[in-house]
Amino acid sequence: MNAQKTNIEFTKYELDNGLKVILHQNRSTPIVAVSIMYEVGGKDSFEGRTGFAHFFEHLLFEGSENITERGQFAKYVEDAGGVLNANTSQDRTYYYEILPSNQLELGLWLESERLLHAKVTQEGVDTQRDVVKEERRQRMDNQPYGSLLYELFKHGFTKHPYKDPNIGYMKDLESAEEKDYKLFYERYYVPNNAILSIAGDIDINETKKLVEKYFSTIPRGAEPPRVTIVEPPLAGEVRDTVYDSKAPLPALVMGYRTPERNHPDYYAISLMNQVLSSGQSSRLNKVLVDEKQVAVQAGTFPSFTQAPGLAIAFAIVKPGTDLKMVEGLFDTEVAKLQNQLISEREFQKLKNNVEVDAISGYGSMSGIAESLADYEMYQGDANLINTETERFNAVTREDIQRVAKKYYNSNNRVVLYWMPGEASK
């Protein structure tokens, strides 16, 4: 079939100090998204310290040598009529401001301050430590199913730092010192470890001049250390029961070890997951929710990590439901994918969904800026924002069957029975 292509034009170049710059002009609304992505995330713990990338995300809103008043960083943006935020994944940290386009220079100055002049003080460390500890309690410790991803990765990895929680262990948050943060900043917050991505109502040549003004004099740093640990294959199926006093319903939770985001099999695995759980007519929804009525929700999604990770499958089930039975129903649906090709009709629906996602997936300037940076960082090719549909469309029904057989077997998975309540003593 002929693939619908997005047509997001952009300019990409690199400063002498190694900073990658991506510029996309869109004059439809007078706003601009200024963003910067650093190739450092939860996996990049060091010297027994976990959660540093996320903690650092918080610290870098504290201020800089030229933004001395606490809270002033956000106030600059808000007073200009903009919004700002940041997020940290296992592999990268991302900061952005969405501003009226006449405030582009403000966003560039703020991000250059963050990169060159961030001020890490013990007062800031102490303040943000309490904030992050409370965030951990709210999102993970006291949230129903809040530790689900952590438990899956802890059971699925023994060597690679994906086994540790993105937000870090409480003991590491408690014991980290000012010198640890300064070392982390020096290692990872260097221009040759960053992608500056700007999208919106901009003039390309004027923006280049401003980027040069605020970023070209920042010195290149040493190449940051990279995680080189290769996780060994699972020695067999890993099974456990997790008790969660906050969970209202039991759940079946599974993780299948699958390749990194940049692996060619990602596209077939992604489409296979859509067959299982995308939309009301998906196979798991029809069987578990509609026909058998044993689950209130079921889903699967592929791994999206820089190194081989876990593709996740789950079903939140009704009280009193036998999880072993639900697991059997799931395995039956996977076996169908392994033993027979999906129908041409189902396959065409998949491809139609790919086309729709390609056309509708980039409706905001912030979404475009982040996607351009993501594609460049994870896959080394920002233009995949326009061409990735070709990779999806190259997947055959036989490819879907092949990855189902290769990755979705019991020796390559973690199975957790998630139970409400406390474990018996």
Side-chain angles (χ1 to χ4, degrees):
M1 62 184 293
N2 294 323
Q4 284 274 358
K5 285 187 178 181
T6 52
N7 185 28
I8 295 172
E9 295 182 355
F10 62 90
T11 299
K12 186 180 79 171
Y13 63 102
E14 189 171 310
L15 299 184
D16 290 342
N17 58 15
L19 178 70
K20 292 181 179 179
V21 183
I22 306 174
L23 308 178
H24 165 68
Q25 182 188 74
N26 184 315
R27 291 266 166 92
S28 59
T29 53
I31 62 168
V32 63
V34 178
S35 74
I36 191 161
M37 182 176 289
Y38 295 91
E39 191 173 346
V40 59
K43 73 175 186 302
D44 298 290
S45 54
F46 66 105
E47 283 89 45
R49 303 296 197 200
T50 60
F52 259 53
H54 176 257
F55 201 135
F56 222 78
E57 172 207 312
H58 282 257
L59 277 179
L60 290 199
F61 286 94
E62 281 283 303
S64 71
E65 291 177 14
N66 297 307
I67 305 172
T68 55
E69 187 179 336
R70 295 184 63 224
Q72 187 64 38
F73 197 103
K75 192 172 187 300
Y76 275 124
V77 175
E78 290 159 2
D79 286 352
V83 295
L84 74 168
N85 213 330
N87 57 70
T88 304
S89 76
Q90 291 165 306
D91 300 308
R92 93 292 183 273
T93 308
Y94 183 68
Y95 303 87
Y96 66 90
E97 293 85 34
I98 302 170
L99 291 157
S101 52
N102 62 1
Q103 296 295 323
L104 167 64
E105 189 166 2
L106 171 64
L108 292 173
W109 173 66
L110 289 172
E111 290 303 340
S112 68
E113 280 292 299
R114 205 179 328 241
L115 175 54
L116 183 60
H117 292 133
K119 199 165 184 181
V120 180
T121 65
Q122 191 60 49
E123 181 188 10
V125 169
D126 292 340
T127 300
Q128 292 303 327
R129 178 188 287 129
D130 290 338
V131 172
V132 173
K133 284 165 62 179
E134 181 58 27
E135 182 181 338
R136 183 195 155 102
R137 281 189 284 266
Q138 288 185 1
R139 291 189 178 183
M140 187 172 168
D141 300 335
N142 298 329
Q143 181 79 9
Y145 316 106
S147 60
L148 191 152
L149 288 178
Y150 164 57
E151 289 290 348
L152 264 182
F153 278 84
K154 181 180 76 171
H155 284 79
F157 290 84
T158 59
K159 305 291 186 186
H160 194 281
Y162 284 161
K163 64 182 171 53
D164 301 317
N166 205 40
I167 203 167
Y169 296 108
M170 276 290 194
K171 61 181 175 61
D172 291 340
L173 298 178
E174 290 282 6
S175 59
E177 299 173 351
E178 184 178 338
K179 62 182 177 63
D180 296 321
Y181 295 95
K182 289 185 174 177
L183 175 60
F184 188 87
Y185 183 57
E186 291 167 4
R187 279 185 175 179
Y188 294 105
Y189 279 74
V190 291
N192 42 302
N193 194 44
I195 300 168
L196 178 68
S197 182
I198 303 168
D201 180 23
I202 60 172
D203 178 278
I204 296 293
N205 290 328
E206 287 301 313
T207 303
K208 282 184 174 182
K209 291 176 185 176
L210 289 173
V211 170
E212 182 79 14
K213 174 181 176 181
Y214 286 103
F215 290 91
S216 65
T217 59
I218 300 175
R220 177 188 287 266
E223 286 304 305
R226 300 298 181 204
V227 175
T228 57
I229 296 166
V230 177
E231 181 69 25
L234 285 175
E237 185 178 66
V238 176
R239 303 185 73 90
D240 203 357
T241 301
V242 176
Y243 291 91
D244 181 353
S245 61
K246 304 295 187 297
L249 295 170
L252 170 69
V253 184
M254 295 182 287
Y256 290 83
R257 287 272 289 274
T258 50
E260 66 276 11
R261 174 66 177 83
N262 200 30
H263 193 282
D265 280 351
Y266 168 83
Y267 298 97
I269 293 169
S270 178
L271 291 180
M272 192 203 93
N273 278 263
Q274 289 186 42
V275 172
L276 286 173
S277 69
S278 179
Q280 292 298 308
S281 62
S282 63
R283 294 189 179 192
L284 288 182
N285 194 72
K286 283 170 68 175
V287 172
L288 298 181
V289 179
D290 294 340
E291 294 174 8
K292 302 294 183 182
Q293 297 186 2
V294 294
V296 296
Q297 185 181 357
T300 64
F301 48 95
S303 173
F304 195 100
T305 46
Q306 201 173 30
L310 289 176
I312 295 166
F314 71 93
I316 299 174
V317 306
K318 295 182 178 180
T321 301
D322 181 2
L323 287 175
K324 189 71 176 174
M325 180 265 292
V326 177
E327 183 185 339
L329 293 171
F330 177 86
D331 289 345
T332 297
E333 293 308 309
V334 170
K336 290 177 183 176
L337 291 173
Q338 294 169 333
N339 296 325
Q340 53 194 289
L341 298 176
I342 66 172
S343 69
E344 282 286 4
R345 184 170 179 271
E346 203 168 15
F347 189 55
Q348 185 61 48
K349 179 185 169 188
L350 274 182
K351 295 303 179 77
N352 291 342
N353 287 343
V354 169
E355 303 293 345
V356 170
D357 290 346
I359 295 167
S360 63
Y362 304 111
S364 70
M365 291 305 102
S366 58
I368 290 172
E370 184 169 8
S371 293
L372 285 166
D374 268 336
Y375 280 123
E376 185 64 28
M377 200 207 83
Y378 281 93
Q379 295 168 273
D381 183 7
N383 197 45
L384 282 168
I385 198 169
N386 294 315
T387 62
E388 193 173 40
T389 52
E390 296 171 7
R391 298 190 180 186
F392 280 109
N393 279 307
V395 174
T396 64
R397 295 189 298 157
E398 288 78 11
D399 288 329
I400 293 172
Q401 183 181 40
R402 175 180 59 80
V403 297
K405 288 180 177 178
K406 183 174 181 178
Y407 301 109
Y408 280 70
N409 60 75
S410 60
N411 289 327
N412 190 45
R413 72 179 180 183
V414 176
V415 180
L416 301 180
Y417 283 9
W418 205 272
M419 303 300 294
E422 306 283 351
S424 57
K425 300 294 184 184

